[in-house]
Amino acid sequence: MSGIRIRYGLALVGLVVTVSYANTNSTESPPLGVVTKEGSKVIEQIPTPVAVLNQPAPPTVPGIPQNIQNTQGQFPEEAVKPQEPEGTLSATSEGEDNQKFRKKKAQKAPEATMPLLDKRVMDSAINSATQRPGNSANSESKVVYSYTPDSMYTIYGAPGRVIDVQLQPGEKLTSPVIAGDTVRWVVGSATSRSGTSSMTHVLIKPIQAGLETNFIITTDHHAYHLIAKSFNRTFLPAVA
């Protein structure tokens, strides 16, 4: 019995020693980032460097409000507009300038007119000196004008039709026919017969209706002044 008591006593003593040892080592370390009371006391005892204490605090920048209006009631981004550099034109202003230039170019130059009194005198003189098919002789389809110095002879043409101006037999051209409008009137010459009875033909043709010009024909006999007008269909086939 004494031996059993001794064994139980030793076991109890060992259990007490084990429990007391476990209590001494049971203090768990605090989680990462958690400062215990003892740690905070140690941190407070660490002296702060002088340079850190004397360093000024960084200035704080206030935030920029987004809805601030200027004195004119416009937002800052709307009030400030980029200015175009001098010497350049926008597309709108350039287009307007081109339109103005075209309008000025399209405007006709003022018509230069003769003084009224001089115009009346000249119109009267030309009208009295002009011979027309109505006051001339006719031979078949040919209009025959009587030659008078400084007279003007009227001829009518049409597009696609040729006017045959026949000179006197044996009469020859001394220079090319002079035309007021050499672009819209076609002029040529031809000769018929031979010898002393040869005849020179001046051929005149307009390229469109509504034209008016004059011709000067110089020969070894006379000088002829013609007034030519073009119509749609009416024309004189031959003039002598």
Side-chain angles (χ1 to χ4, degrees):
M1 294 294 292
S2 59
I4 296 173
R5 292 179 180 177
I6 293 172
R7 290 179 181 176
Y8 279 113
L10 292 175
L12 181 61
V13 171
L15 179 61
V16 171
V17 173
T18 303
V19 172
S20 61
Y21 179 79
N23 289 335
T24 56
N25 295 328
S26 63
T27 56
E28 298 179 356
S29 60
L32 184 63
V34 178
V35 181
T36 61
K37 293 181 179 181
E38 292 78 3
S40 61
K41 292 180 180 180
V42 174
I43 293 173
E44 289 177 356
Q45 295 177 1
I46 299 174
T48 304
V50 179
V52 176
L53 295 176
N54 296 333
Q55 183 177 3
T60 58
V61 180
I64 300 175
Q66 300 295 329
N67 297 327
I68 294 179
Q69 295 182 348
N70 60 5
T71 57
Q72 297 181 357
Q74 298 178 348
F75 291 101
E77 59 271 10
E78 296 179 356
V80 180
K81 295 182 179 180
Q83 297 181 355
E84 297 181 357
E86 298 181 358
T88 60
L89 296 176
S90 61
T92 304
S93 60
E94 185 176 357
E96 292 177 355
D97 293 342
N98 291 337
Q99 291 180 359
K100 292 179 181 179
F101 176 76
R102 291 175 182 176
K103 289 181 179 179
K104 290 182 180 180
K105 188 176 180 180
Q107 292 178 354
K108 294 183 179 180
E111 183 179 357
T113 58
M114 186 183 298
L116 183 58
L117 179 60
D118 297 342
K119 186 176 184 302
R120 289 178 179 176
V121 173
M122 292 303 300
D123 289 345
S124 177
I126 292 173
N127 187 35
S128 60
T130 300
Q131 297 188 32
R132 298 177 177 83
N135 56 9
S136 62
N138 298 326
S139 174
E140 300 292 336
S141 62
K142 180 169 58 177
V143 176
V144 180
Y145 289 117
S146 60
Y147 175 76
T148 304
D150 300 328
S151 290
M152 304 187 71
Y153 307 94
T154 304
I155 60 175
Y156 300 134
R161 302 289 188 270
V162 177
I163 309 170
D164 180 13
V165 179
Q166 302 175 3
L167 303 180
Q168 296 179 2
E171 189 175 12
K172 297 181 181 179
L173 295 172
T174 58
S175 64
V177 177
I178 301 172
D181 186 353
T182 59
V183 175
R184 297 177 295 178
W185 291 80
V186 181
V187 181
S189 61
T191 304
S192 63
R193 304 177 189 174
S194 62
T196 57
S197 62
S198 64
M199 180 179 293
T200 301
H201 303 261
V202 177
L203 308 177
I204 300 174
K205 180 180 69 174
I207 64 173
Q208 68 184 52
L211 304 178
E212 183 174 353
T213 188
N214 69 312
F215 297 90
I216 299 176
I217 302 174
T218 58
T219 69
D220 54 357
H221 292 173
H222 305 291
Y224 303 96
H225 296 266
L226 308 181
I227 295 179
K229 298 180 181 181
S230 65
F231 301 97
N232 291 326
R233 294 185 179 182
T234 305
F235 77 105
L236 300 179
V239 178

